[in-house]
Amino acid sequence: MSLVAFASARSAPGVTTVSLAVSAWLERGVLVEADPDGGVLAVRHRLGREPGLIGIAAGHLGTTETLLDHAQRLPGGLPVVVAPESAERATHLWRTAGSALVRALAAQEELDVVVDAGRLGPTSPALALVPHASLVIVVVRPTAEQLISAADRVRSLGGLNRHVAVALVGDGPYSARDVTDELGCDVVGVVAHDPRAAEALSAGSGGRGLARSALMRSARALAEQIARRTGVPTTSTVRVSATRLVEEAKA
Ligand SMILES: Nc1ncnc2c1ncn2[C@@H]1O[C@H](COP(=O)(O)OP(=O)(O)O)[C@@H](O)[C@H]1O
Ligand SMILES: [Mg+2]
């Protein structure tokens, strides 16, 4: 099993989108919302508020329950564990039950857990996950503003885990090479800036061919790089389907 955590340093570079798009290419991937600022997957994908992360906090995983008992399936099959929407509730959950959550997510043998840790600032309670991750990926738009804060974040996360890398969203103005030189850290992939596909993925409003979009193709390449570093198996059949979401919305 592997635990792969995606996080940002500031603003909204597209962590949730990248986490979802990459999970969709992992054969045994489960996406877990661990953003203390609150979850968005339930609203975006019209899922129930339960089951979800709250249920894991009770600490019964590994005895009578499995992680999948707390997951819901997206059209296409990807299991997702949703977090409470409110930042107050999500933060409270991490502050009061963080160690039970970390233990549960780090103990999965049959599944590869992809965590959307949101903005992983110096006071985030989701930092507890970092030492247990096989790989921590800081998602950054390659602009000066984002790179400056990412540099600090990469340095401080590197003190908790040796396996920290960066994924870029969109091209320029700085290149992957510039970023590696400046941050002293691997750029593990470049995710395409693709607003249509990002919208389709998050709202299910896209048409057919999502898997062939620039976003999903670049996410597949990123999943393959993650596989090289962690051994997680990838799949050639994407596990999310915008088309089915559209058909369900029309029904
Ligand atoms: N690769 C991308 N290309 C274009 N737009 C994107 C991309 N990723 C995310 N977005 C858009 O940016 C906004 C924030 O995305 P989200 O993934 O929720 O960011 P975060 O989790 O970092 O807050 C959404 O409107 C989303 O559609
Ligand atoms: Mg997010």
Side-chain angles (χ1 to χ4, degrees), residues 21 30 79 101 114 143:
V30 180
L101 294 174
V114 175
T143 61

Side-chain angles (χ1 to χ4, degrees), residues 40-53:
V40 294
L41 290 175
V43 174
R44 287 185 182 175
H45 295 278
R46 298 181 287 278
L47 301 174
R49 287 357 180 219
E50 286 175 40
L53 197 67

Side-chain angles (χ1 to χ4, degrees), residues 12 14-17 33 35 38 40 44 116 118-119:
V15 181
T16 301
T17 303
E33 274 195 303
D35 183 345
V40 294
R44 287 185 182 175
D116 172 0
R119 189 141 62 96

